[in-house]
Short mmCIF file of all heavy atoms in Angstrom, two decimals:
data_model
loop_
_atom_site.label_atom_id
_atom_site.label_comp_id
_atom_site.label_asym_id
_atom_site.label_seq_id
_atom_site.Cartn_x
_atom_site.Cartn_y
_atom_site.Cartn_z
N LYS A 1 109.81 98.15 87.52
CA LYS A 1 111.07 98.87 87.35
C LYS A 1 111.23 99.99 88.37
O LYS A 1 112.28 100.11 89.02
CB LYS A 1 111.15 99.43 85.94
CG LYS A 1 112.47 100.16 85.64
CD LYS A 1 112.50 100.66 84.20
CE LYS A 1 113.80 101.39 83.90
NZ LYS A 1 113.81 101.89 82.50
N SER A 2 110.18 100.80 88.53
CA SER A 2 110.28 101.94 89.44
C SER A 2 110.44 101.49 90.88
O SER A 2 111.19 102.10 91.66
CB SER A 2 109.06 102.84 89.29
OG SER A 2 107.88 102.16 89.64
N MET A 3 109.76 100.41 91.26
CA MET A 3 109.89 99.91 92.62
C MET A 3 111.28 99.33 92.86
O MET A 3 111.92 99.60 93.88
CB MET A 3 108.82 98.85 92.89
CG MET A 3 107.41 99.41 92.98
SD MET A 3 107.25 100.65 94.30
CE MET A 3 105.70 101.43 93.83
N THR A 4 111.77 98.55 91.91
CA THR A 4 113.09 97.94 92.06
C THR A 4 114.17 99.01 92.16
O THR A 4 115.10 98.90 92.98
CB THR A 4 113.39 97.01 90.86
OG1 THR A 4 112.38 96.01 90.80
CG2 THR A 4 114.75 96.35 91.02
N GLN A 5 114.04 100.06 91.36
CA GLN A 5 115.03 101.14 91.39
C GLN A 5 114.99 101.91 92.71
O GLN A 5 115.96 102.58 93.06
CB GLN A 5 114.79 102.09 90.21
CG GLN A 5 115.15 101.50 88.86
CD GLN A 5 114.84 102.43 87.71
OE1 GLN A 5 114.04 103.37 87.84
NE2 GLN A 5 115.46 102.18 86.57
N GLY A 6 113.87 101.80 93.43
CA GLY A 6 113.74 102.52 94.68
C GLY A 6 114.10 101.72 95.91
O GLY A 6 113.79 102.12 97.03
N ILE A 7 114.79 100.58 95.73
CA ILE A 7 115.08 99.71 96.88
C ILE A 7 115.86 100.41 97.98
O ILE A 7 115.64 100.16 99.16
CB ILE A 7 115.83 98.42 96.42
CG1 ILE A 7 116.01 97.46 97.60
CG2 ILE A 7 117.14 98.76 95.75
CD1 ILE A 7 114.73 96.98 98.24
N GLN A 8 116.77 101.31 97.61
CA GLN A 8 117.57 101.98 98.65
C GLN A 8 116.73 102.97 99.46
O GLN A 8 117.07 103.30 100.58
CB GLN A 8 118.77 102.68 98.01
CG GLN A 8 119.79 101.72 97.41
CD GLN A 8 120.30 100.69 98.42
OE1 GLN A 8 120.56 101.01 99.59
NE2 GLN A 8 120.44 99.44 97.97
N PHE A 9 115.64 103.44 98.87
CA PHE A 9 114.70 104.27 99.62
C PHE A 9 113.93 103.42 100.62
O PHE A 9 113.79 103.77 101.79
CB PHE A 9 113.73 104.97 98.67
CG PHE A 9 112.54 105.61 99.35
CD1 PHE A 9 112.67 106.79 100.06
CD2 PHE A 9 111.28 105.01 99.29
CE1 PHE A 9 111.57 107.37 100.69
CE2 PHE A 9 110.18 105.58 99.91
CZ PHE A 9 110.33 106.77 100.61
N PHE A 10 113.46 102.27 100.15
CA PHE A 10 112.68 101.40 101.01
C PHE A 10 113.54 100.67 102.04
O PHE A 10 113.13 100.47 103.17
CB PHE A 10 111.93 100.36 100.16
CG PHE A 10 110.87 100.93 99.28
CD1 PHE A 10 111.02 100.97 97.91
CD2 PHE A 10 109.70 101.45 99.82
CE1 PHE A 10 110.03 101.48 97.08
CE2 PHE A 10 108.70 101.97 99.01
CZ PHE A 10 108.87 101.99 97.64
N ASN A 11 114.72 100.22 101.61
CA ASN A 11 115.58 99.41 102.47
C ASN A 11 117.05 99.80 102.26
O ASN A 11 117.78 99.15 101.51
CB ASN A 11 115.38 97.92 102.16
CG ASN A 11 116.13 97.01 103.10
OD1 ASN A 11 116.83 97.46 104.01
ND2 ASN A 11 116.02 95.71 102.90
N PRO A 12 117.48 100.91 102.89
CA PRO A 12 118.85 101.38 102.71
C PRO A 12 119.87 100.28 103.04
O PRO A 12 119.74 99.58 104.05
CB PRO A 12 118.96 102.53 103.71
CG PRO A 12 117.55 103.00 103.88
CD PRO A 12 116.70 101.77 103.79
N GLY A 13 120.85 100.11 102.15
CA GLY A 13 121.87 99.11 102.37
C GLY A 13 121.51 97.74 101.84
O GLY A 13 122.29 96.79 101.99
N PHE A 14 120.34 97.59 101.20
CA PHE A 14 119.95 96.29 100.66
C PHE A 14 120.99 95.81 99.64
O PHE A 14 121.47 96.57 98.81
CB PHE A 14 118.58 96.40 99.98
CG PHE A 14 118.10 95.11 99.36
CD1 PHE A 14 117.41 94.18 100.12
CD2 PHE A 14 118.36 94.83 98.02
CE1 PHE A 14 116.97 93.00 99.56
CE2 PHE A 14 117.93 93.64 97.45
CZ PHE A 14 117.24 92.72 98.22
N ASN A 15 121.30 94.52 99.71
CA ASN A 15 122.28 93.94 98.79
C ASN A 15 121.68 92.66 98.22
O ASN A 15 121.56 91.65 98.92
CB ASN A 15 123.59 93.64 99.53
CG ASN A 15 124.66 93.11 98.60
OD1 ASN A 15 124.58 93.30 97.39
ND2 ASN A 15 125.66 92.45 99.16
N GLY A 16 121.28 92.69 96.96
CA GLY A 16 120.68 91.53 96.34
C GLY A 16 120.31 91.83 94.91
O GLY A 16 120.54 92.93 94.39
N SER A 17 119.73 90.86 94.23
CA SER A 17 119.35 91.01 92.83
C SER A 17 118.10 91.88 92.69
O SER A 17 117.41 92.15 93.69
CB SER A 17 119.08 89.64 92.21
OG SER A 17 117.92 89.07 92.79
N ASP A 18 117.80 92.28 91.46
CA ASP A 18 116.59 93.04 91.21
C ASP A 18 115.34 92.23 91.57
O ASP A 18 114.36 92.78 92.07
CB ASP A 18 116.52 93.45 89.73
CG ASP A 18 117.48 94.59 89.40
OD1 ASP A 18 118.09 95.15 90.33
OD2 ASP A 18 117.63 94.90 88.20
N VAL A 19 115.39 90.93 91.30
CA VAL A 19 114.26 90.06 91.64
C VAL A 19 114.04 90.04 93.14
O VAL A 19 112.90 90.14 93.63
CB VAL A 19 114.50 88.63 91.12
CG1 VAL A 19 113.43 87.68 91.65
CG2 VAL A 19 114.51 88.62 89.59
N ASP A 20 115.14 89.92 93.89
CA ASP A 20 115.04 89.91 95.35
C ASP A 20 114.57 91.27 95.87
O ASP A 20 113.80 91.34 96.85
CB ASP A 20 116.39 89.57 95.97
CG ASP A 20 116.81 88.13 95.71
OD1 ASP A 20 115.92 87.30 95.46
OD2 ASP A 20 118.03 87.86 95.76
N ALA A 21 115.03 92.34 95.23
CA ALA A 21 114.64 93.68 95.66
C ALA A 21 113.14 93.89 95.48
O ALA A 21 112.46 94.41 96.38
CB ALA A 21 115.42 94.73 94.86
N LEU A 22 112.62 93.47 94.33
CA LEU A 22 111.19 93.63 94.08
C LEU A 22 110.38 92.82 95.07
O LEU A 22 109.38 93.31 95.61
CB LEU A 22 110.86 93.21 92.65
CG LEU A 22 109.39 93.34 92.25
CD1 LEU A 22 108.94 94.80 92.31
CD2 LEU A 22 109.15 92.76 90.86
N ARG A 23 110.81 91.59 95.33
CA ARG A 23 110.10 90.74 96.28
C ARG A 23 110.08 91.40 97.65
O ARG A 23 109.05 91.40 98.34
CB ARG A 23 110.78 89.37 96.35
CG ARG A 23 110.17 88.42 97.39
CD ARG A 23 108.98 87.69 96.82
NE ARG A 23 108.23 86.99 97.83
CZ ARG A 23 107.61 85.82 97.62
NH1 ARG A 23 107.65 85.24 96.45
NH2 ARG A 23 106.91 85.26 98.57
N TRP A 24 111.20 91.96 98.06
CA TRP A 24 111.28 92.60 99.39
C TRP A 24 110.31 93.78 99.46
O TRP A 24 109.57 93.94 100.45
CB TRP A 24 112.70 93.07 99.68
CG TRP A 24 112.87 93.50 101.12
CD1 TRP A 24 113.34 92.73 102.16
CD2 TRP A 24 112.52 94.78 101.68
NE1 TRP A 24 113.31 93.46 103.33
CE2 TRP A 24 112.81 94.72 103.07
CE3 TRP A 24 112.01 95.96 101.16
CZ2 TRP A 24 112.60 95.79 103.92
CZ3 TRP A 24 111.79 97.04 102.02
CH2 TRP A 24 112.08 96.95 103.38
N ILE A 25 110.30 94.60 98.43
CA ILE A 25 109.43 95.78 98.43
C ILE A 25 107.96 95.39 98.44
O ILE A 25 107.16 95.95 99.19
CB ILE A 25 109.74 96.68 97.21
CG1 ILE A 25 111.13 97.29 97.35
CG2 ILE A 25 108.69 97.78 97.07
CD1 ILE A 25 111.64 97.96 96.08
N VAL A 26 107.60 94.42 97.61
CA VAL A 26 106.21 93.99 97.55
C VAL A 26 105.77 93.42 98.89
O VAL A 26 104.71 93.77 99.43
CB VAL A 26 106.00 92.96 96.43
CG1 VAL A 26 104.59 92.36 96.52
CG2 VAL A 26 106.20 93.59 95.07
N ASP A 27 106.58 92.54 99.47
CA ASP A 27 106.19 91.87 100.71
C ASP A 27 106.19 92.79 101.92
O ASP A 27 105.41 92.59 102.86
CB ASP A 27 107.13 90.69 100.98
CG ASP A 27 106.86 89.50 100.07
OD1 ASP A 27 105.88 89.57 99.30
OD2 ASP A 27 107.63 88.52 100.12
N ASN A 28 107.07 93.79 101.91
CA ASN A 28 107.20 94.63 103.10
C ASN A 28 106.52 95.99 102.99
O ASN A 28 106.15 96.55 104.02
CB ASN A 28 108.69 94.85 103.41
CG ASN A 28 109.37 93.60 103.93
OD1 ASN A 28 109.32 93.30 105.11
ND2 ASN A 28 109.97 92.84 103.02
N GLN A 29 106.36 96.48 101.77
CA GLN A 29 105.81 97.82 101.62
C GLN A 29 104.48 97.87 100.88
O GLN A 29 103.57 98.59 101.28
CB GLN A 29 106.82 98.71 100.87
CG GLN A 29 106.50 100.19 100.93
CD GLN A 29 106.74 100.79 102.31
OE1 GLN A 29 107.74 100.50 102.95
NE2 GLN A 29 105.81 101.63 102.77
N LEU A 30 104.34 97.10 99.82
CA LEU A 30 103.17 97.26 98.96
C LEU A 30 102.00 96.36 99.32
O LEU A 30 100.85 96.79 99.30
CB LEU A 30 103.56 96.99 97.49
CG LEU A 30 104.69 97.82 96.90
CD1 LEU A 30 104.84 97.51 95.41
CD2 LEU A 30 104.45 99.31 97.11
N SER A 31 102.27 95.09 99.62
CA SER A 31 101.19 94.10 99.73
C SER A 31 100.46 94.01 101.06
O SER A 31 99.27 93.69 101.07
CB SER A 31 101.74 92.70 99.39
OG SER A 31 101.89 92.56 98.00
N PRO A 32 101.11 94.23 102.19
CA PRO A 32 100.43 93.95 103.46
C PRO A 32 99.05 94.58 103.59
O PRO A 32 98.09 93.91 103.98
CB PRO A 32 101.41 94.49 104.51
CG PRO A 32 102.75 94.30 103.88
CD PRO A 32 102.54 94.62 102.43
N SER A 33 98.91 95.86 103.27
CA SER A 33 97.60 96.50 103.42
C SER A 33 96.56 96.00 102.42
O SER A 33 95.47 95.58 102.83
CB SER A 33 97.73 98.03 103.34
OG SER A 33 98.16 98.54 104.58
N PRO A 34 96.84 96.03 101.10
CA PRO A 34 95.82 95.54 100.16
C PRO A 34 95.41 94.10 100.39
O PRO A 34 94.23 93.76 100.28
CB PRO A 34 96.50 95.71 98.79
CG PRO A 34 97.51 96.77 99.00
CD PRO A 34 98.00 96.59 100.40
N LEU A 35 96.37 93.23 100.75
CA LEU A 35 96.05 91.82 100.94
C LEU A 35 95.28 91.60 102.23
O LEU A 35 94.25 90.92 102.26
CB LEU A 35 97.32 90.99 100.96
CG LEU A 35 98.18 90.98 99.69
CD1 LEU A 35 99.42 90.13 99.90
CD2 LEU A 35 97.38 90.50 98.49
N GLY A 36 95.79 92.15 103.33
CA GLY A 36 95.16 91.93 104.63
C GLY A 36 93.75 92.48 104.70
O GLY A 36 92.82 91.80 105.14
N ARG A 37 93.58 93.72 104.25
CA ARG A 37 92.24 94.32 104.37
C ARG A 37 91.24 93.66 103.43
O ARG A 37 90.06 93.53 103.77
CB ARG A 37 92.32 95.82 104.13
CG ARG A 37 92.64 96.26 102.72
CD ARG A 37 93.00 97.73 102.69
NE ARG A 37 93.25 98.22 101.33
CZ ARG A 37 93.89 99.36 101.08
NH1 ARG A 37 94.33 100.12 102.07
NH2 ARG A 37 94.07 99.77 99.84
N SER A 38 91.70 93.19 102.27
CA SER A 38 90.80 92.51 101.35
C SER A 38 90.37 91.16 101.92
O SER A 38 89.20 90.77 101.80
CB SER A 38 91.47 92.31 99.98
OG SER A 38 91.70 93.55 99.35
#
């Protein structure tokens, strides 16, 4: 919920569903470092 609500902080002007917003945040902001380094 908190990540989805912050989509405009992560990606100003984003236009899409909450599901799409969460996917964008996870793929672009949250996951790259934990996944890659692990």
Side-chain angles (χ1 to χ4, degrees):
K1 182 178 179 181
S2 62
M3 290 301 164
T4 302
Q5 290 177 340
I7 185 61
Q8 293 304 319
F9 167 75
F10 293 110
N11 186 0
F14 179 87
N15 183 20
S17 68
D18 285 352
V19 171
D20 292 336
L22 180 63
R23 176 85 191 214
W24 191 95
I25 293 168
V26 172
D27 286 355
N28 290 275
Q29 193 71 43
L30 304 185
S31 283
S33 279
L35 298 179
R37 69 193 183 197
S38 294

